Amino acid sequence: MIDDFLKALGIPPAQQLLLGNPVHDWLLAVALAAAAWAILWLIRKFAAARYKRYSAGSPATLLRLLAYLVGNTTQLFFIAVSLYAALQVLNLPEKFERGGARAVSLLILLQLGLWAGRALRFYLEKKEAERGADRAFAGSLDIVKFIARVLIWSLLILVALENFGVNITALLAGLGVGGVAVALALQNVLGDLFASLSIALDKPFMIGDSLTIDTFVGRVEHIGIKTTRLRSESGEQIILANADIVKSRVRNYGAQSEQRVLTVIRAAYDTPAEKLKALPKLLENIVREQSVVRFERCHLRTLGESAFIYELSFFVQQPAVNSVLDIQQAVNFRIIDELRARGIDFAYPTQQLLVERRGEPPEK
């Protein structure tokens, strides 16, 4: 029927050939390509709708992943499949056929890279939802994404080069020799990169922890590929290279399960002995009134120059959640109230000056 239509248009059979294929074969190829594109478009639309439905429920993770990947398929894959379908009905010269096959392979490899990135994103988002506010996982998330993407696209580039006839073995050997020179030139950058990987795997600290690194003190705001950023108590941002952090001695206050508070109480020397003996038990009861505090000890430590010196020690549990200063302040106010109610005065440093006159006894 197509031949009759072309004859009706007055096109001779000799002019119905294009690259060795009659016009009706080209029309059939276009029709197949359009049909393939339309079918893929419908499948993607259906999968995207299914993914939204799965997200509201609790289906198997594999079904959600498949629906997510299909729903996020790009036009590159549509073009690759349409082009492949068109090539099946055409008999092209070897040069054009080889070029078309390479184009299809390249487009499919690009789509595979995008699918791998989407699958990684799906997995990390799922883990993040399961862990909730996991600061350790949040701190290593960017590092894991970066390294995974580098590995995925490096592998796909090597496969693409092999499809284009490049000798991968010779290329890798050449890259190995050149990589030594590049590594020497970028040793600082690579050192920070591997240090960030070490931090992500070992997790010595996480976002929100309070750190002391050498002379720097601050709270972790961001753990990046090259640097880690702290926010100091005075408000400025401190940026430290990851390689320097790995080499330094880090004090992590955010990882402590409890924090010790040491308080010194000075009682006046004119305090009766009975009240002095009862003071350690009184201070212990005051500390135990706090629900998140673990009492350690209270003793008359020494006889000072102007006072009896007591030492009170207790621990605030979960200091990252409970404010240590607020609890210490509450304990101090209770100590002040109880000691004043019992007539125990706080001592303060004093000196007595003795003046001696000749022929008279010394006076105070």
Side-chain angles (χ1 to χ4, degrees), residues 14 41 47 60 69 183 197 204 216 245 252 280 325 345:
W41 182 82
L69 294 179
L197 180 60
F216 302 102
I245 294 176
N252 186 356
L325 292 179
D345 296 329

Side-chain angles (χ1 to χ4, degrees), residues 192 205 211 213-214 216-232 235-245 248:
D192 290 330
F205 53 82
L211 307 180
I213 304 174
D214 295 334
F216 302 102
V217 180
R219 188 178 298 274
V220 180
E221 280 192 340
H222 176 73
I223 303 173
I225 302 299
K226 180 171 172 45
T227 62
T228 294
R229 302 167 195 169
L230 309 180
R231 181 69 62 179
S232 71
E236 71 270 15
Q237 189 179 67
I238 304 172
I239 302 175
L240 301 173
N242 289 330
D244 294 337
I245 294 176
S248 303

Side-chain angles (χ1 to χ4, degrees), residues 176-189:
V177 175
V180 175
V182 174
L184 291 175
L186 301 177
Q187 55 182 338
N188 292 333
V189 177

Side-chain angles (χ1 to χ4, degrees), residues 23 97 258 304:
V23 175
E97 188 172 354
E258 55 184 17

Side-chain angles (χ1 to χ4, degrees), residues 81-327:
V81 175
S82 300
L83 181 58
Y84 178 79
L87 291 175
Q88 301 307 304
V89 298
L90 296 175
N91 187 16
L92 297 175
E94 182 180 357
K95 179 175 66 175
F96 289 96
E97 188 172 354
R98 185 168 58 250
R102 288 178 176 177
V104 170
S105 299
L106 181 60
L107 292 174
I108 291 178
L109 286 175
L110 288 174
Q111 182 60 63
L112 288 176
L114 295 174
W115 273 339
R118 293 284 185 176
L120 174 65
R121 179 180 175 182
F122 177 87
Y123 173 78
L124 294 178
E125 287 179 351
K126 177 176 177 294
K127 286 297 181 181
E128 190 173 10
E130 291 176 353
R131 293 170 178 259
D134 191 335
R135 295 178 294 142
F137 183 73
S140 59
L141 197 59
D142 293 338
I143 301 172
V144 173
K145 286 181 179 179
F146 175 79
I147 295 176
R149 286 171 180 170
V150 169
L151 292 177
I152 290 171
W153 288 107
S154 297
L155 179 61
L156 291 177
I157 289 173
L158 291 176
V159 174
L161 291 175
E162 186 177 8
N163 287 336
F164 278 91
V166 178
N167 189 351
I168 301 298
T169 304
L171 178 62
L172 292 177
L175 290 176
V177 175
V180 175
V182 174
L184 291 175
L186 301 177
Q187 55 182 338
N188 292 333
V189 177
L190 294 177
D192 290 330
L193 176 60
F194 285 111
S196 67
L197 180 60
S198 174
I199 292 173
L201 295 177
D202 193 43
K203 297 181 179 64
F205 53 82
M206 59 191 71
I207 295 176
D209 285 347
S210 294
L211 307 180
T212 296
I213 304 174
D214 295 334
T215 59
F216 302 102
V217 180
R219 188 178 298 274
V220 180
E221 280 192 340
H222 176 73
I223 303 173
I225 302 299
K226 180 171 172 45
T227 62
T228 294
R229 302 167 195 169
L230 309 180
R231 181 69 62 179
S232 71
E233 294 180 353
S234 56
E236 71 270 15
Q237 189 179 67
I238 304 172
I239 302 175
L240 301 173
N242 289 330
D244 294 337
I245 294 176
V246 172
K247 297 175 184 177
S248 303
R249 291 175 174 84
V250 180
R251 300 184 67 182
N252 186 356
Y253 297 101
Q256 58 186 1
S257 59
E258 55 184 17
Q259 182 174 339
R260 186 185 186 193
V261 177
L262 191 64
T263 303
V264 175
I265 299 99
R266 302 166 62 89
Y269 264 123
D270 57 358
T271 304
E274 294 77 10
K275 294 182 178 180
L276 293 175
K277 292 179 181 178
L279 191 54
K281 187 62 177 177
L282 173 64
L283 296 176
E284 178 182 349
N285 293 335
I286 291 174
V287 170
R288 293 189 185 278
E289 291 176 358
Q290 305 294 326
S291 60
V292 293
V293 170
R294 180 174 66 85
F295 174 79
E296 184 187 23
R297 60 179 176 82
C298 182
H299 295 91
L300 175 59
R301 191 185 68 183
T302 184
L303 306 178
E305 294 181 354
S306 58
F308 297 106
I309 299 178
Y310 288 82
E311 190 172 77
L312 172 65
S313 176
F314 59 90
F315 289 88
V316 177
Q317 298 175 343
Q318 296 181 346
V321 178
N322 304 299
S323 175
V324 177
L325 292 179
D326 289 342
I327 295 174

